[in-house]
Structure formats: structure tokens, C-alpha cells
Amino acid sequence: MHYTGTIWRPPYEASSLLLEVTAGCTHHQCKFCTLYEDLPFRFRMTPMEVIEEDLQEAERTLRLWNRGNIRRVFLTGANPFVLSYDKLAAIGELIRKYLPSVQSVGSFARITDITPKSDEELAALHALGYDGLTIGIETGDDEALRFMNKGYTSLDILRQCRRLDQAKIRYHFFYLVSISGAGRGEVGAKETARLCNQLHPGRIGANMLTIYPDSELYGEIQKGNWQEEGEREKYRELRTLVESLEIPTIFAAMGASNAYQFQGRLPEDKGRLLAFLDNIIENVGEEDLQRYRKSVRHL
């Protein structure tokens, strides 16, 4: 199998076959992000013949292990869904050819990856198995989206995810705690809940913003243009988000950026999750939380 650089996947894709189709990020401008700095290029499409070679290798390996029941493929790269409809369709057909047991194909996606595809193309991709996209919306706070150079607005998120709903392509969100900055976390949480409450994310995963010296955001902090939330303030923000969500979804904070990991189903587990967060806010000191934040060397 061919892989380039560090391979990132969501926790819930642990049992999926990881298939490289792109490497790097087409946007590469978010001020907080350092995930793809180890790549010597911003974006690369894996040649179709290499993708086919990897699928052939996967087929041989599964047959050798007598494991022909793989159900899901996750396409790696920062946002493989940016590929044209024709390329994604060709990849979907190859997956069907070599791994007929596969029922769905997922990937990371940016909101701007959805925009160029017609409604008919999205529906056709769903018919080929594309489902369960993971989208790092980060927030519904337009001020934060602009400052961090995300390249889209909350209205774009609403419009494009409604198109995914129409095409029956399910999706999951990542939320970035503290992206709105000190004093605005709960504002950002409420704006995000207002947005999410109009949509149907299967999961909302929360990650805590961790700032590294090689990020553009670190430079903004040094210039006095932005200030990070305190650690306990981050948990108050997270609590506000959970409290404000009114839709059925899985809410989770399971990544390494979270000092305390938890998950539950809303609305059934809302009381339990709020009590868990209240306990952290009331009983865990800022210094202890800061110590954990400084220990996170890389996400």
C-alpha cells in the first residue's frame, strides 16, 4: 500500500481500509493548522494506476487472511472529496471491482469540496457508496471563520450540508473548541449549535485547540491580534455547546487534544455529559489542564 506523510483518520474509522487517493490539503491556509506540514507539497492526486495497485494488494491480502468481509473504505488525505465527480466515481467503481463486500466509502471533506458538484453528481456518488463524510466545520461563528481563513461561512455550511442531506450522503462534524478566542467561546458555541440544529450530523466530535509555534495563529498571538481561551474556559464553551444542541446526534471528545475524553448520544445522554463537564469545571484546576495542554506535542 502507498502512503505519503502522516496519515490522519477519525477515531471511528479505525476498522476501515485506508486507501490513499490524495496527500496534503488543497486549502492549506487555516491559521491554526499544522497537520500537513510534513508534506513537501500542498496537494497531490495519487495516479489511478497506483490506487488500483493498492486495491489489488488489499484484495490479495484479505483473501490470504480469509477476510473477505471488509465493509468500509476511508480515502486518506486532508480533503479527497475535492476530486472531480469523474475521479471519485472511477475510484468508487474500482473499489466495487476489487472489494465487492465494501458497502460505503468515506473521507475527510471541506465545505468547498461539495460546492462544484451538481445535485445529480452527489446523488450518483451516494449510489456508488460515498457516505459518512467527515467535515471539519470548526465553528458556526463567522467572525472566527473569517479570522482563521477557513474559506467559507456558516451559510455555506448550511447550504452545502443541506445538499448532502438531499443526496442522502451522511456526514459528521468536527468542532474546534477555542477557535473563537478568549471571551467569545460561548458565543461561538451557541452559533455552532444554532447551525447544527438546522442540519443532521451523525456525529459531532470536539477537539481542543492546541497552538504550536510553527502555526500562523502563534504569530497572531505574538502580535497581540488574538488571545487563546483558558483551559477551564474551553470546558465552559464545550458545556454550552452540549447544552444548546437540540438534534439527535452522537457527541464525542475522543481525540488526543482532550484531557478528558467522553462521548454520548444526544438528547438521551445530555444530563450525564453536562454533569461530567460540570465536574471538570468545578474540580479540576487551570494549572492541571494547562499542564496537559503543554504535553500534547502533536495532534
Side-chain angles (χ1 to χ4, degrees):
M1 304 291 285
H2 298 82
Y3 297 110
T4 307
T6 303
I7 302 301
W8 302 95
R9 61 150 179 83
Y12 42 82
E13 297 286 359
S15 61
S16 302
L17 173 69
L18 303 182
L19 178 68
E20 179 171 285
V21 299
T22 65
C25 179
T26 57
H27 186 61
H28 215 298
Q29 296 179 42
C30 299
K31 291 184 179 180
F32 56 82
C33 185
T34 60
L35 288 184
Y36 296 94
E37 294 301 319
D38 62 336
L39 295 175
F41 37 73
R42 291 195 172 190
F43 173 77
R44 180 174 72 85
M45 165 65 186
T46 304
M48 198 64 70
E49 58 268 23
V50 175
I51 294 173
E52 187 165 13
E53 287 175 10
D54 284 350
L55 287 168
Q56 290 170 341
E57 180 181 342
E59 179 192 33
R60 289 193 303 269
T61 303
L62 291 168
R63 188 169 60 246
L64 179 64
W65 292 350
N66 195 27
R67 291 183 61 186
N69 59 345
I70 186 167
R71 295 288 184 259
R72 183 165 171 81
V73 170
F74 184 77
L75 309 181
T76 69
N79 58 318
F81 205 68
V82 72
L83 296 177
S84 68
Y85 164 76
D86 288 341
K87 289 179 180 177
L88 289 172
I91 292 168
E93 293 288 0
L94 283 174
I95 292 171
R96 282 188 167 184
K97 176 181 178 180
Y98 291 105
L99 302 173
S101 64
V102 168
Q103 297 176 348
S104 64
V105 180
S107 76
F108 286 122
R110 281 178 48 80
I111 289 298
T112 51
D113 299 344
I114 306 164
T115 309
K117 296 173 177 65
S118 69
D119 292 343
E120 293 75 18
E121 288 172 339
L122 290 174
L125 288 173
H126 177 258
L128 282 168
Y130 284 87
D131 196 26
L133 300 178
T134 294
I135 306 171
I137 62 165
E138 320 303 1
T139 184
D141 177 2
D142 280 316
E143 183 177 322
L145 290 171
R146 282 192 297 270
F147 182 79
M148 295 296 178
N149 289 336
K150 284 300 297 181
Y152 52 76
T153 67
S154 61
L155 183 58
D156 294 326
I157 298 171
L158 184 64
R159 286 174 173 169
Q160 298 309 316
C161 289
R162 281 179 169 169
R163 295 183 64 224
L164 292 180
D165 286 335
Q166 181 179 341
K168 299 182 180 178
I169 296 177
R170 292 174 295 181
Y171 50 88
H172 313 299
F173 288 159
F174 273 145
Y175 174 77
L176 191 56
V177 182
S178 189
I179 192 173
S180 295
R184 282 187 51 83
E186 293 187 72
V187 172
K190 290 177 181 178
E191 286 298 297
T192 303
R194 181 189 61 78
L195 173 66
C196 291
N197 286 339
Q198 301 176 69
L199 294 168
H200 305 90
R203 300 170 185 264
I204 300 175
N207 293 310
M208 294 279 186
L209 178 63
T210 306
I211 301 166
Y212 296 101
D214 53 345
S215 68
E216 186 178 350
L217 183 56
Y218 183 85
E220 294 281 14
I221 294 171
Q222 301 309 302
K223 296 173 187 175
N225 295 334
W226 192 85
Q227 184 178 354
E228 183 182 9
E229 286 182 322
E231 294 299 313
R232 294 178 76 185
E233 186 179 357
K234 290 177 184 177
Y235 278 96
R236 288 194 292 272
E237 174 185 343
L238 196 51
R239 188 194 191 285
T240 298
L241 177 60
V242 172
E243 186 176 39
S244 302
L245 286 169
E246 299 172 353
I247 53 172
T249 190
I250 295 171
F251 191 91
M254 299 299 291
S257 66
N258 298 284
Y260 292 88
Q261 299 184 349
F262 63 92
Q263 65 178 338
R265 185 176 294 275
L266 298 178
E268 298 94 317
D269 297 329
K270 181 179 284 192
R272 176 177 64 82
L273 297 184
L274 292 176
F276 180 84
L277 291 167
D278 284 339
N279 183 57
I280 296 171
I281 294 166
E282 294 168 9
N283 298 310
V284 181
E286 179 72 18
E287 289 185 3
D288 291 334
L289 293 171
Q290 286 284 355
R291 191 176 302 113
Y292 180 82
R293 181 69 44 226
K294 292 175 182 177
S295 75
V296 182
R297 299 302 179 188
H298 201 292
L299 298 181

